[in-house]
């Protein structure tokens, strides 16, 4: 460990956000990042954008200077089985003139140029930091444009300064809620669900949908992976909501419960245990013996397929130590369980924006000595990784190079994953992904394992 | 993904589709990373900082540390004074940089935060100690592009720190412009080979292309030191490469310290490298060493070997003005026809320069500043090309047009590793460009030719 890493202190104002199992003390989360920290978090705009953009037949237009549109142009692999409109980047590219005179004219013109040409089913207009400041009335423009073209044109109130991604998720849920309840539900059957907080990264929504179709449960709308406007409009016809990425979509589930009386269940499709649990919960909800029987058969068959292959990975990976730093704490929970299935131990678990309940569950499930951390930064993460001598780091784009610099294997379990990690087959993919990095011979050459740099070369 | 792009081009007034630029602050961040021990600080919402770090990390595959003022709703109303002061205090306490380089964002610009005043006040109130260095640069995201931000950061650094002691030294300042760390290494190598004394500023080699040490270094060893930046005021000449990225800095140094400057195109290709070598020869009053002459002759040898494959090939190119201009020159030198050159960065000078370069070889060239990738794509649909050159987003255009030969060049490239490791500057860099271009042609033929036409010898 370099002197720099060894001696870092934790910002006084952040001490409550680091907790070690066995040492007690209070744990603090869900607060703004301290100004001046190298936070791994993003902003409300980012949160809204990532939640909504998988709706593939809608137009997504970013109202603001070019950067906000440029940085999230197709960075997430949210796949669509049909239209690919969402993978383009549309922006008003606000420049100096609009800062002075306002951007309404430009936004109006942009919508007029795009809607007749692309004929989207709906349009989302994202407000960035400066839109309110330059006095643009985005709501009014959306209302008027909507009337003009006869499609929903929905404002997304997502200026970055509103807060972390969580507040952006909330804004996205508000926007989606304007679509829900506007479609015809007469063809929605009694055994029907919506999948909330599933973004079809690497095609995961397709796998999950298939499970439900196989046991006779209809998936009305996936929000928002491989999403379609018309499906969302009739989502209120479903009898149950399954919420996967709870941080992003619990708000919408609650709203649908209030306005449409649809109950919801929080589930996870990461790892075999959690996937099985999610399928059983949905099947159990309908109190239908046939469905339950099919669910049991499905789970049995899938696990029967995967388990023997998993054993081979377990032999190779048993005893390895993992650190994880992900978006929300609910996913962290699933990962701890999934890693256990591989014989691995989680020694550091952190999230960008976990909430108190999820952290409580995470603290329960972890082994003694595990460090739990909220809204961390590179120096802290590096310190803990070295202290715990981990073999694997699970995180996102900003954590990857840090792990590699420390000589630690890495698995992207964020939106940049390229293979589906959800469901039963996803567990196998996860094992392969972990093994391909953890078992790489390259780690033999890094200083941490080989002793020293060139001195170790003979 | 771009299958929906139509050939019918409509003049757009208000809309950016698939940008060929991004915003100023990321350029300031990149330039600031080229200062040794520097922490770039983004004065705005935390999403800006997160986006820039992620974007740079995806391109360089390196950790990028930067801090943010984490604007909140309150700061967006009352100004970011408190946020910035707290940030500066925290940064020096925890991360201990040699200098903090504050840049603004659209939000703090529109609010009108007076950064020098805030820094001054923090100093007066003892929140920053006398030996803790802070600088600032204004980077409104709604003006210019990411290159403007790079240019502003460089010029501001000089304004803050370069000094003239009255004694002129036999040293040449080399301003590389926004090029890759590998290019900065190559410029240094060539200058050493020439035998001149020099200071390279900024210098991201050793910062964004570091080796594996087993440590996470928040401040890697590379970067132009503050002593060097100060001493630039005593150099007797500046060679500034890339007008858009480097001119402002060169002028600032000329104004402040009376160091005369020579403005060159980026040393990409034969004649631009000749100009660079010649400028170094004149500045240093040194002969061109045999080793450099040999490099030049090897380039010409390769150009002649491959000339038949280059003749009249139609090339579409997009990217940043300095890069595109210099590379277009090289394409003409190789007997190719640059039929369209596009940049997202505003500025009519670009169009004039491209037309001048192409006047003989391809007078019909379509040169567009302040444009986007969507326009380029539509234009190609009407005028098919043999080769596309541009950043990573170009692959969608290449794929939509039947997988036409495509060479990645520029920023960002998020799907390859070569750009940060192998330079495209100088004579040897030009050889690499030839290799990439001919590989693209040959791979295309090998992939698409029927069996009976596959050639072993090319």
């Amino acid at each position: 460990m370099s002197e720099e890493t060894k001696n870092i202190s934790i910002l006084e104002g952040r001490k409550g956000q680091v907790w070690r199992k066995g040492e007690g003390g209070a744990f603090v989360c869900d607060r703004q990042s301290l100004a001046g920290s190298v936070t791994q978090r993003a902003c409300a705009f980012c949160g809204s954008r990532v939640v909504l953009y998988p709706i593939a037949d809608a137009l997504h237009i970013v109202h603001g200077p070019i950067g906000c549109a440029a940085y999230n142009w197709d960075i997430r692999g949210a796949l669509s089985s049909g239209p690919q409109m969402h993978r383009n980047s549309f922006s008003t590219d606000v420049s100096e003139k609009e800062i002075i005179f306002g951007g309404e004219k430009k936004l109006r013109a942009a919508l007029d140029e795009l809607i007749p040409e692309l004929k989207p089913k709906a349009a989302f207009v994202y407000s960035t930091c400066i839109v309110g400041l330059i006095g643009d009335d985005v709501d009014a423009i959306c209302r008027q444009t909507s009337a003009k073209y006869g499609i929903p044109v929905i404002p997304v109130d997502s200026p970055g300064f509103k807060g972390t991604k969580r507040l952006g998720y909330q804004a996205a849920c508000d926007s989606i809620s304007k679509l829900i309840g506007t479609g015809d539900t007469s063809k929605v059957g009694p055994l029907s669900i919506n999948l909330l907080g599933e973004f079809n990264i690497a095609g995961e929504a397709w796998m999950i949908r298939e499970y439900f179709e196989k046991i006779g449960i209809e998936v009305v709308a996936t929000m928002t992976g491989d999403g379609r406007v018309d499906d969302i409009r009739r989502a209120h016809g479903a009898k149950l909501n399954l919420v996967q990425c709870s941080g992003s979509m619990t708000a919408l589930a609650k709203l649908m419960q209030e306005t449409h009386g649809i109950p919801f269940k929080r589930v996870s499709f990461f790892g075999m245990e959690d996937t099985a649990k999610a399928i059983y919960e949905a099947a159990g909800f309908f109190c239908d013996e046939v469905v339950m029987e099919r669910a049991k058969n499905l789970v049995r068959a899938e696990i029967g397929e995967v388990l023997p292959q998993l054993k081979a990975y377990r032999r190779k990976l048993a005893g390895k130590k993992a650190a994880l730093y992900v978006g929300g704490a609910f996913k962290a929970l699933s990962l701890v369980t999934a890693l256990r299935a591989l014989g691995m131990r989680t020694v550091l678990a952190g999230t960008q924006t976990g909430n108190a309940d999820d952290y409580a569950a995470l603290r329960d499930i972890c082994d003694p000595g595990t460090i739990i951390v909220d809204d961390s930064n590179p120096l802290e993460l590096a310190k803990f990784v070295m202290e715990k001598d981990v073999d694997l780091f699970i995180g996102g784009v900003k954590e990857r190079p840090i792990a590699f610099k420390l000589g630690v294997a890495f698995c992207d379990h964020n939106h940049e994953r390229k293979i589906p990690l959800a469901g039963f087959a996803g567990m196998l993919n996860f094992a392969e992904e972990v093994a391909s990095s953890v078992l790489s011979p390259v780690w033999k050459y890094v200083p941490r394992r080989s002793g020293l740099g060139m001195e170790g070369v003979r | 993904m771009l299958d929906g792009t139509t050939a019918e081009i409509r003049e757009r007034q208000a809309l950016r589709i698939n940008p060929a630029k991004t915003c100023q602050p990321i350029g300031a961040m990149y330039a600031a990373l080229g200062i040794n021990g520097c922490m770039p600080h983004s004065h705005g919402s935390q999403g800006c900082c997160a986006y820039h770090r992620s974007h740079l990390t995806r391109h360089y595959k390196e950790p990028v540390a930067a801090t943010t003022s984490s604007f909140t709703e309150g700061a967006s109303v009352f100004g970011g004074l408190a946020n910035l002061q707290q940030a500066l205090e925290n940064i020096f306490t925890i991360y201990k940089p040699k200098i903090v380089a504050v840049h603004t964002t659209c939000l703090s610009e529109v609010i009108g935060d007076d950064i020098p005043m805030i820094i001054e006040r923090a100093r007066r109130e003892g929140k920053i100690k006398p030996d803790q260095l802070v600088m600032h640069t204004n980077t409104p995201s709604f003006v210019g592009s990411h290159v403007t931000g790079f240019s502003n950061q460089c010029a501001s650094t000089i304004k803050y720190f370069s000094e003239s002691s009255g004694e002129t030294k036999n040293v040449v300042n080399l301003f590389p412009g926004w090029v890759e760390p590998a290019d900065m290494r190559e410029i240094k190598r060539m200058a050493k080979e020439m035998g001149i004394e020099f200071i390279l500023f900024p210098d991201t080699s050793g910062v964004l292309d570091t080796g594996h040490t087993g440590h996470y270094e928040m401040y890697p060893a590379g970067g132009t030191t503050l002593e060097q930046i100060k001493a630039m005021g005593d150099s007797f000449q500046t060679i500034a490469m890339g007008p858009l990225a480097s001119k402002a800095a060169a002028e600032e140094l000329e104004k402040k310290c009376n160091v005369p400057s020579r403005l060159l195109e980026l040393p990409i290709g034969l004649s631009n490298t000749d100009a660079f070598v010649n400028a170094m020869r004149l500045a240093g009053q040194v002969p061109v060493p045999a080793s450099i002459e040999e490099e030049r002759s090897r380039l010409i040898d390769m150009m002649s070997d491959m000339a038949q494959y280059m003749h009249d090939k139609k090339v579409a190119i997009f990217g940043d003005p300095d890069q595109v201009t210099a590379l277009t020159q090289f394409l003409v030198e190789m007997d190719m026809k640059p039929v369209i050159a596009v940049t997202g960065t505003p500025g009519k000078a670009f169009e004039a320069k491209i037309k001048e370069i192409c006047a003989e070889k391809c007078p019909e060239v379509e040169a567009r500043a302040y444009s986007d990738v969507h326009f380029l794509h539509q234009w190609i649909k009407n005028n098919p090309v043999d080769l596309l050159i541009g950043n990573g987003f170009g692959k969608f255009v290449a794929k939509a047009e039947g997988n036409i030969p495509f060479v990645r060049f520029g920023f960002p490239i998020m799907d390859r590793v070569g750009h940060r490791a192998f330079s495209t500057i100088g004579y040897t860099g030009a050889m690499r460009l030839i290799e990439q271009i001919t590989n693209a042609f040959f791979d295309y033929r090998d992939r698409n030719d029927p069996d009976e036409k596959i050639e072993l010898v090319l």
Side-chain angles (χ1 to χ4, degrees):
Chain A
M1 202 187 303
S2 71
E3 283 309 303
E4 199 181 330
T5 321
K6 210 185 300 177
N7 294 332
I8 75 133
S9 43
I10 291 163
L11 281 167
E12 196 55 42
R14 273 195 37 73
K15 281 192 174 153
Q17 285 165 286
V18 177
W19 186 88
R20 284 165 195 261
K21 183 145 178 175
E23 290 182 10
F27 183 74
V28 183
C29 64
D30 200 12
R31 52 193 281 179
Q32 282 281 334
S33 302
L34 280 182
S37 61
V38 184
T39 172
Q40 306 296 79
R41 285 174 171 175
C43 65
F45 166 73
C46 182
S48 296
R49 182 84 171 108
V50 298
V51 165
L52 293 175
Y53 113 97
I55 304 174
D57 56 355
L59 174 67
H60 301 268
I61 182 159
V62 180
H63 186 35
I66 195 67
C68 299
Y71 300 121
N72 55 39
W73 174 13
D74 204 43
I75 54 165
R76 292 196 165 209
L79 306 186
S80 161
S81 54
Q84 303 291 326
M85 202 186 332
H86 68 301
R87 301 187 60 184
N88 287 281
S89 165
F90 302 105
S91 159
T92 49
D93 191 7
V94 160
S95 58
E96 224 167 352
K97 204 174 110 193
E98 289 83 44
I99 298 297
I100 299 163
F101 299 109
E104 292 189 357
K105 213 172 119 189
K106 204 171 189 182
L107 174 59
R108 216 183 285 274
L111 289 165
D112 283 338
E113 281 172 12
L114 278 173
I115 293 173
E117 186 176 331
L118 298 176
K119 301 184 179 60
K121 294 273 187 181
F124 292 98
V125 180
Y126 300 76
S127 290
T128 59
C129 280
I130 57 160
V131 168
L133 292 173
I134 60 176
D136 286 2
D137 188 348
V138 175
D139 289 8
I141 294 173
C142 287
R143 248 187 342 264
Q144 289 152 13
T145 312
S146 187
K148 188 169 171 185
Y149 296 106
I151 59 163
V153 180
I154 302 167
V156 187
D157 184 26
S158 54
F161 59 75
K162 263 176 97 170
T164 64
K165 274 164 133 177
R166 281 169 70 91
L167 284 139
Y169 300 153
Q170 176 73 48
C173 289
D174 288 348
S175 298
I176 295 178
S177 72
K178 291 180 181 140
L179 284 176
I180 292 169
T182 59
D184 172 22
T185 57
S186 58
K187 293 211 177 84
V188 177
L191 300 174
S192 53
I193 58 168
N194 296 310
L195 291 171
L196 274 62
E198 165 50 54
F199 303 108
N200 202 30
I201 306 293
E204 288 173 349
W206 297 331
M207 299 170 63
I208 296 168
R209 261 188 114 97
E210 203 183 305
Y211 295 147
F212 288 111
E213 278 159 12
K214 273 187 183 161
I215 63 171
I217 292 177
E218 175 190 357
V219 179
V220 182
T222 308
M223 288 184 257
T224 55
D226 197 12
R228 298 292 181 276
V229 172
D230 286 345
D231 292 341
I232 296 171
R233 297 180 84 144
R234 59 192 202 109
H236 59 296
K239 305 299 176 281
L240 173 69
N241 280 332
L242 293 185
V243 189
Q244 153 136 287
C245 178
S246 55
S248 66
M249 287 255 175
T250 305
L252 185 68
K254 282 185 179 156
L255 198 78
M256 289 177 79
Q257 187 166 36
E258 282 161 29
T259 45
H260 302 286
I262 305 171
F264 71 91
K265 286 180 186 294
R266 286 196 346 173
V267 296
S268 164
F269 293 97
F270 290 118
M272 290 188 301
E273 276 181 61
D274 286 0
T275 304
K277 211 166 108 195
I279 293 172
Y280 286 143
E281 284 217 30
F285 173 82
F286 292 108
C287 301
D288 183 313
E289 275 174 33
V290 180
V291 170
M292 190 46 108
E293 197 51 39
R294 286 196 202 118
K296 283 180 186 162
N297 289 338
L298 175 93
V299 170
R300 200 177 303 121
E302 293 282 342
I303 291 182
E305 178 88 12
V306 168
L307 208 54
Q309 299 179 65
L310 218 49
K311 276 194 183 138
Y313 287 107
R314 202 184 149 95
R315 270 196 296 278
K316 292 185 235 170
L317 293 169
K320 303 273 185 196
K321 287 179 277 182
L324 45 101
Y325 190 73
V326 293
F330 203 62
K331 175 147 110 192
L333 273 176
S334 287
L335 283 170
V336 172
T337 317
L339 286 163
R340 273 194 191 138
L342 296 175
M344 294 177 71
R345 217 147 47 82
T346 305
V347 291
L348 164 66
T351 88
Q352 288 180 30
T353 53
N355 68 28
D357 291 350
D358 294 343
Y359 271 123
L362 187 59
R363 276 154 45 202
D364 273 351
I365 186 181
C366 281
D367 299 322
T370 302
I371 299 171
I372 295 185
V373 55
D374 179 60
D375 184 24
S376 195
N377 61 65
L379 276 186
E380 269 180 30
L381 290 174
K383 174 188 148 94
F384 296 142
V385 163
M386 297 313 267
E387 181 192 315
K388 293 287 182 185
D389 192 27
V390 308
D391 301 286
L392 170 74
F393 197 107
I394 299 179
V397 53
K398 292 193 285 297
E399 288 79 50
R400 178 195 298 265
I402 297 169
F404 288 157
K405 282 286 185 252
L406 297 171
V408 172
F410 185 82
C411 165
D412 195 320
H413 209 290
N414 207 331
H415 52 267
E416 278 181 35
R417 57 184 183 265
K418 305 299 174 205
I419 53 164
L421 301 179
F424 301 104
M427 184 62 202
L428 213 49
N429 291 338
F430 176 63
E432 172 61 25
E433 190 87 338
V434 167
S436 70
S437 192
V438 170
L439 303 176
S440 166
V442 72
W443 309 124
K444 281 193 293 205
Y445 307 111
V446 306
R448 196 163 68 100
R449 298 283 185 235
S450 67
L452 296 157
M454 287 305 284
E455 294 136 69
V457 179
R458 291 282 178 268
Chain B
M1 138 185 174
L2 301 183
D3 292 345
T5 305
T6 56
E8 188 197 342
I9 300 177
R10 276 188 231 156
E11 286 300 322
R12 282 175 273 132
Q13 300 303 321
L15 186 62
R16 192 65 61 209
I17 306 179
N18 300 343
K21 65 165 178 180
T22 181
C23 64
Q24 282 208 43
I26 195 173
M29 191 180 281
Y30 180 57
L33 289 166
I35 301 169
N36 178 261
C38 178
M39 177 69 89
H41 179 82
S42 166
H43 186 51
S45 301
Q46 60 192 23
C48 306
C49 188
Y51 272 142
H52 304 151
R53 290 175 60 210
S54 298
H55 219 56
L56 291 168
T57 286
R58 290 187 182 107
H59 179 85
Y60 294 106
K61 308 228 179 295
E62 290 280 311
V64 172
T67 50
T68 165
S69 290
S70 294
F71 266 48
T72 54
E73 203 106 30
S76 78
V77 178
F78 303 113
L81 181 140
N83 290 56
L84 184 51
Q85 292 197 337
Q86 190 203 8
L88 290 170
E89 219 177 344
N90 282 337
I91 294 165
F92 282 112
T93 309
I94 299 300
Y95 305 120
K96 301 181 179 65
K98 288 181 184 150
I99 170 183
V100 176
V102 180
H103 60 258
T104 56
T105 58
C106 50
L107 181 57
S108 51
E109 284 288 331
V110 173
I111 294 169
D113 275 347
D114 182 346
I115 311 293
M117 186 278 286
I118 297 175
I119 296 171
E120 178 50 41
R121 221 172 117 175
R123 245 183 229 299
R124 233 178 22 236
E125 291 169 8
K127 287 179 175 140
I128 334 173
K129 307 207 165 47
D131 60 333
Q132 297 177 332
L133 295 179
V134 182
M135 66 159 292
H136 93 286
T137 191
N138 288 95
T139 49
S141 322
F142 42 82
V143 177
S145 75
H146 55 295
V147 191
T148 325
F150 180 94
S151 165
N152 287 343
Q153 173 67 46
C154 293
S156 297
T157 308
I158 286 164
K159 202 168 180 177
Y160 265 85
F161 301 113
S162 296
E163 280 173 24
S164 160
S165 68
E167 186 194 343
T168 304
K169 297 209 176 85
N170 194 22
V171 175
V172 181
N173 300 325
L174 299 175
F175 294 173
W178 186 329
V179 293
E180 299 290 328
D183 297 330
M184 307 226 186
R185 278 183 198 277
E186 178 62 7
I187 289 171
K188 288 193 283 189
R189 186 194 65 85
M190 288 179 77
K192 274 185 204 141
E193 203 73 18
M194 291 290 292
I196 63 166
E197 290 282 314
F198 65 92
I199 297 170
L200 182 75
F201 169 74
D203 182 2
T204 56
S205 66
V207 180
L208 290 170
D209 63 348
T210 61
H212 186 101
T213 60
H215 304 144
Y216 168 64
E217 306 285 354
M218 197 159 236
Y219 311 104
T224 315
T225 63
L226 283 159
E227 291 73 29
Q228 288 176 312
I229 292 168
K230 186 176 169 192
M232 290 196 307
D234 287 335
S235 299
F236 77 96
Q237 199 189 82
T238 298
I239 298 176
M241 290 162 267
L244 201 67
S246 300
K247 189 175 173 207
E251 284 177 354
E252 185 62 43
L253 195 61
E254 197 157 350
K255 196 171 82 190
K256 189 177 179 194
C257 304
N258 227 357
V259 182
S261 66
R262 245 187 113 124
L263 190 61
L264 301 178
E265 294 297 333
L266 288 178
I268 294 170
L270 180 63
S271 65
N272 288 327
T273 304
D274 283 350
F276 174 51
V277 170
N278 205 32
M280 285 195 288
R281 179 184 69 84
L282 291 170
Q285 295 291 305
V286 289
V288 176
S291 56
I292 295 278
E293 277 200 49
E294 198 205 333
E295 283 174 25
R296 185 175 192 275
S297 72
R298 288 168 68 214
L299 168 61
I300 295 174
D301 187 71
M302 189 183 268
M303 283 169 75
S304 63
D305 287 344
M306 291 291 119
Q308 68 181 104
Y309 299 106
M310 304 291 196
H311 172 68
D312 275 358
K313 286 283 188 298
K314 285 183 279 183
V315 187
I317 175 168
F318 73 95
D320 300 335
D322 291 343
Q323 267 78 2
V324 173
T325 309
L327 184 53
T328 301
Q329 176 73 49
F330 186 40
L331 297 176
V332 169
E333 284 160 10
M334 290 192 295
D335 200 21
M336 303 174 92
K337 289 178 91 171
V339 287
I340 177 166
V342 162
T343 183
T345 301
K348 289 281 170 198
F350 169 79
E351 296 177 2
K353 205 180 273 176
I354 291 291
K355 281 182 184 142
E356 187 191 317
I357 292 167
C358 297
E360 251 179 67
K361 180 70 194 171
C362 189
E364 69 275 23
V365 64
E366 175 81 31
R368 287 273 186 131
Y370 201 40
S371 186
D372 53 33
V373 177
H374 183 67
F375 170 77
L376 176 93
H377 188 190
Q378 288 191 308
W379 193 92
I380 292 174
K381 281 201 174 293
N382 293 289
N383 312 272
V385 295
D386 302 304
L387 172 69
L388 174 66
I389 301 179
N391 67 28
F393 289 109
K395 81 170 168 190
F396 298 125
V397 176
K399 187 163 167 41
E401 296 314 301
N403 278 318
I404 54 172
F406 170 50
V407 170
R408 283 168 182 77
F409 178 83
F411 176 85
I413 296 169
M414 304 186 270
D415 60 345
R416 292 293 188 273
V417 289
H419 54 277
R420 64 153 211 176
F422 306 109
S423 171
T424 52
I425 288 272
Y427 301 121
T428 55
M431 290 168 71
R432 177 148 197 272
L433 283 169
I434 295 178
E435 188 219 2
Q436 287 183 299
I437 290 170
T438 49
N439 278 357
F441 286 148
F442 299 156
D443 284 345
Y444 181 80
R445 281 176 61 167
D446 292 346
R447 236 185 358 252
N448 296 301
D449 279 355
D451 269 7
E452 65 273 19
K453 284 189 74 184
I454 291 273
E455 294 263 7
L456 176 68
V457 184
L458 286 167

